[in-house]
Amino acid sequence: MQTARAARPAIAARWCWAYIRRAPGTYIWLAVLFAHGVVLRHVSPQTADRILERRSTNLHYLAVSPVRVLISSAFWIAGGGWFSYFVLYNLVHVPVERRLGTARWLAVIVIAHVGATYLSEGVLYWAIQHGHAPQSARYTLDYGVSYALAGAEGVLTYLLTAPWRYAYVTCLLLLYGVAMLQSRDFTSVGHFTAALLGLACYPLTRGCGGPWDPVAEARAFWRRLRGRAA
């Protein structure tokens, strides 16, 4: 009995490592986000603002150094704690990366992040040019991982089996669509656009095996847990 108990931490560690190894890109990303969160918590608010301002994909920096800010902006969290993103990444990015493979998963999030950034900032530029937003909006902070997450949420549609697929995509589009109509700001436009770009990545899902049934997998996981507990 004592030997079995002593072996449990090692078994749990091997299981965790096997789980992480199947989605390496997601967990490297989470590790960087965690490290950057620690940095922001240990500097003054003024320093944190300067750090984030230099990594913002606003109109000014998209014109000055687009590649740098498009990359660096995706490694900082805008709102919410790291743990909430840890949960969301495991629910969305992990299954997408596992099914598509790291290369195609990365292609989806780059398409969503870059495409939604340029379209949303284009909307803001139009608003400035037509007097609907002040010139200072060119320097608005715009960073974070939410566009990439919305893109992954979009492509996840094709990895689900029916009928969950249809219920899921309906809820997804309603969520981002209603938020866009209510907020009417460039960020909500970006989120809706990113979800649509994820849906447009259907060709990247070809050859990735059959659809995934999350309910059946959750039930199987629960049965395994009960069997081990017994």
Side-chain angles (χ1 to χ4, degrees):
M1 181 65 71
Q2 290 182 350
T3 303
R5 289 180 179 175
R8 285 178 184 174
I11 293 172
R14 286 197 297 270
W15 183 88
C16 289
W17 175 241
Y19 182 86
I20 292 171
R21 193 170 53 188
R22 292 177 61 194
T26 297
Y27 284 99
I28 291 171
W29 197 0
L30 279 170
V32 175
L33 291 175
F34 180 81
H36 283 173
V38 172
V39 169
L40 292 181
R41 284 196 298 271
H42 287 82
V43 298
S44 67
Q46 295 78 13
T47 301
D49 286 343
R50 286 197 296 272
I51 290 172
L52 296 175
E53 188 269 336
R54 287 282 297 167
R55 288 151 181 83
S56 177
T57 51
N58 55 36
L59 289 170
H60 171 70
Y61 280 116
L62 282 176
V64 173
S65 53
V67 175
R68 179 183 65 79
V69 294
L70 282 167
I71 294 173
S72 61
S73 65
F75 291 97
W76 300 83
I77 294 175
W82 179 86
F83 184 74
S84 62
Y85 281 97
F86 177 83
V87 173
L88 287 171
Y89 272 44
N90 277 275
L91 291 174
V92 179
H93 282 300
V94 167
V96 171
E97 185 178 2
R98 285 179 175 178
R99 298 302 296 275
L100 298 187
T102 300
R104 284 192 278 188
W105 163 78
L106 184 60
V108 171
I109 62 176
V110 168
I111 289 168
H113 177 66
V114 175
T117 295
Y118 271 106
L119 193 142
S120 61
E121 290 294 333
V123 169
L124 180 60
Y125 179 76
W126 180 90
I128 293 172
Q129 293 297 102
H130 289 79
H132 301 299
Q135 289 292 328
S136 60
R138 293 175 179 273
Y139 303 95
T140 302
L141 289 181
D142 184 22
Y143 62 93
V145 301
S146 56
Y147 291 168
L149 181 62
E153 289 170 343
V155 81
L156 181 61
T157 300
Y158 306 113
L159 307 182
L160 299 174
T161 187
W164 313 118
R165 172 185 300 179
Y166 308 115
Y168 170 81
V169 71
T170 299
C171 291
L172 181 70
L173 293 178
L174 281 175
L175 173 68
Y176 286 121
V178 170
M180 181 177 65
L181 293 174
Q182 289 180 339
S183 301
R184 297 183 181 181
D185 58 18
F186 74 96
T187 303
S188 60
V189 170
H191 288 138
F192 187 71
T193 301
L196 293 180
L197 288 170
L199 287 169
C201 288
Y202 169 72
L204 293 174
T205 68
R206 293 173 180 170
C208 293
W212 171 50
D213 188 336
V215 175
E217 185 166 319
R219 287 173 178 168
F221 179 72
W222 176 247
R223 284 196 297 268
R224 288 196 299 269
L225 282 180
R226 292 182 63 184
R228 288 178 183 175

